[in-house]
Amino acid sequence: MTDWTAWFCRAAWGALAVSAFGGVQAQALYVPSAYKASFGDGFKAEKRKTGYYSAYTDADNYNGVEYARHHFGIGAWSSAGEQVAYVTKHTSTDGTVKNLTVGYNTLDVSRPLWTVDGTYAQRWSDQTTSEFTVNRDRVEVQPSLVSHVLASQYNVSIEHKVAQPVRVQFGVGETRYTDGNHRPLAKFKATYDVLPVQGLSLQLRSRYFKNTDTTVSSGYFNPYRFVENLGVVELNRQVADWSLSASLGQGRQAGGDDAKTRAQMVELSATSPITRRVFVRTKAGYFRSLGYNGPDFIYRYVSEDVIVTF
C-alpha cells in the first residue's frame, strides 16, 4: 500500500468514525468519476476521482474526503500525480453558499503543495447576489508543470436583476503566478430571459485581463492585454426532473496588438435531481478561444460525476 493510499484510508476511516458517533443519518460514495480534456497544441489532461462523504444531505450539502489521480501528457512527455482533499459544501435555505476544498497534491511522487478551491455566495435580496471565489493550484501546461508554477486566483462578483427579464453581473479579480506575473481581470455578463417559461435566454459575455510580466517562459498565454466578447444563446429545461442546459456562443477576441479572431463556445450539461439516492452530473464543452498557448486555441472536455447515498 502506497503512502497516499494509506493516508486516504486513514482519512476515510476517520470520517466514518465521525459519522458513526455523530448520529449522521446519510453517507455517500463518490463513485470513481472522470474528467478528460484535450487542447489544440496536443496537450491532454485526465483526472479520475473518488471519495467518501460522512455527512450527506444532498449534492449541495455534504462533507467528506476525496482522492484523485491526475495525468498530463503531450508528445513523448507525461507526468502524473495524486491528491487527497477534505471537501465541505453547504447551501442554506436563504441562498447562502459555502463551499471549500483543501487538498494535498503531489506531482511525480514529489513537489507537494496545498491546493484550495473555495466559494462564498450570499443573496442580499431577491434582486442582488454576491460571490467570492478563491483557488490555488498548479498551472496545467507542460512548461509550468515542469518548472512547478502555481497560480492563486481571487475573484469577487455581484449580480443584480435590473428588471424581471434582465440581469447583469460584474466581476473583478486577480491571478498571481509564482513566476512573478500578476493578471488583473474584469468580467461582465448581461442576461435577457427571452422565453422564461421555456428557459431560453440571450447573453452578452465580456472579459478583459492584462499581464504585468509578458517575458515569463512558463508556457501559458500571457499577452500584455486580452479582450473577448461573446454573444451566447442559452437554454435551460427540466425534463423528467433532470436539469438540462445548452449554451452556444460566437464572438471576437484579441490578444496584445494582434488582429481580432473568432471565438466560439459550446457547452452541454445534464444533472439529476440533487436529492436522488444516485446523483449524476455530466458535462461536455468545446471552446475556440485564446487560452494558454496562442491564437485560435482549442479546448475540449468531458466530465461525469456520480454520487451514491447509503
Side-chain angles (χ1 to χ4, degrees):
M1 179 181 291
T2 66
D3 292 340
W4 269 107
T5 306
W7 199 102
F8 178 68
C9 291
R10 288 196 297 269
W13 178 254
L16 180 61
V18 170
S19 175
F21 294 100
V24 176
Q25 297 300 311
Q27 303 168 54
L29 289 177
Y30 188 179
V31 176
S33 301
Y35 162 89
K36 294 185 177 182
S38 63
F39 301 81
D41 63 345
F43 184 83
K44 294 183 179 180
E46 182 174 345
K47 302 180 181 181
R48 298 187 179 275
K49 185 165 60 175
T50 188
Y52 166 74
Y53 305 127
S54 59
Y56 186 91
T57 302
D58 56 44
D60 287 336
N61 295 274
Y62 60 81
N63 63 70
V65 291
E66 294 179 347
Y67 170 76
R69 292 185 60 87
H70 305 156
H71 184 270
F72 309 100
I74 180 171
W77 177 88
S78 66
S79 182
E82 298 175 302
Q83 175 168 294
V84 174
Y86 170 75
V87 182
T88 179
K89 298 183 69 174
H90 176 69
T91 300
S92 62
T93 54
D94 65 0
T96 301
V97 177
K98 301 175 183 179
N99 298 337
L100 179 65
T101 300
V102 178
Y104 186 76
N105 183 294
T106 63
L107 190 67
D108 295 327
V109 199
S110 62
R111 295 157 53 184
L113 77 147
W114 289 96
T115 63
V116 176
D117 187 43
T119 300
Y120 178 81
Q122 184 170 345
R123 181 179 298 165
W124 297 96
S125 67
D126 291 341
Q127 289 77 35
T128 306
T129 302
S130 64
E131 182 180 75
F132 172 76
T133 64
V134 59
N135 179 274
R136 181 177 189 266
D137 209 339
R138 303 181 191 275
V139 178
E140 294 179 355
V141 293
Q142 190 256 351
S144 288
L145 291 171
V146 170
S147 56
H148 193 47
V149 177
L150 312 179
S152 298
Q153 302 178 44
Y154 311 91
N155 300 281
V156 62
S157 65
I158 296 178
E159 183 178 81
H160 182 70
K161 183 180 290 186
V162 180
Q164 187 58 36
V166 180
R167 304 185 305 278
V168 294
Q169 183 181 50
F170 299 91
V172 294
E174 185 175 66
T175 301
R176 293 174 173 258
Y177 298 92
T178 55
D179 60 9
N181 183 34
H182 293 177
R183 177 179 288 178
L185 167 73
K187 288 184 177 182
F188 170 78
K189 181 170 74 171
T191 302
Y192 176 68
D193 295 322
V194 180
L195 298 171
V197 176
Q198 290 76 20
L200 181 65
S201 65
L202 300 178
Q203 299 178 356
L204 171 63
R205 301 181 186 180
S206 297
R207 62 181 177 128
Y208 170 86
F209 65 73
K210 64 178 183 179
N211 291 283
T212 60
D213 188 350
T214 60
T215 64
V216 297
S217 56
S218 301
Y220 58 84
F221 180 61
N222 64 326
Y224 76 89
R225 69 175 179 90
F226 169 78
V227 62
E228 180 184 67
N229 296 296
L230 283 173
V232 180
V233 179
E234 185 170 279
L235 180 65
N236 295 284
R237 297 296 302 271
Q238 295 289 127
V239 178
D241 293 331
W242 281 67
S243 298
L244 307 181
S245 178
S247 300
L248 174 63
Q250 291 272 357
R252 305 290 285 175
Q253 61 188 344
D257 295 321
D258 293 339
K260 291 182 179 180
T261 59
R262 182 177 57 178
Q264 294 177 302
M265 60 86 62
V266 179
E267 198 161 28
L268 307 171
S269 69
T271 307
S272 69
I274 63 172
T275 56
R276 278 194 178 176
R277 182 175 177 272
V278 178
F279 170 77
V280 179
R281 176 173 49 224
T282 61
K283 297 182 70 175
Y286 166 90
F287 298 85
R288 184 189 183 103
S289 176
L290 290 163
Y292 287 125
N293 288 358
D296 296 330
F297 191 65
I298 295 174
Y299 163 59
R300 308 176 185 88
Y301 81 91
V302 60
S303 68
E304 53 88 12
D305 301 282
V306 181
I307 299 174
V308 179
T309 308
F310 62 94

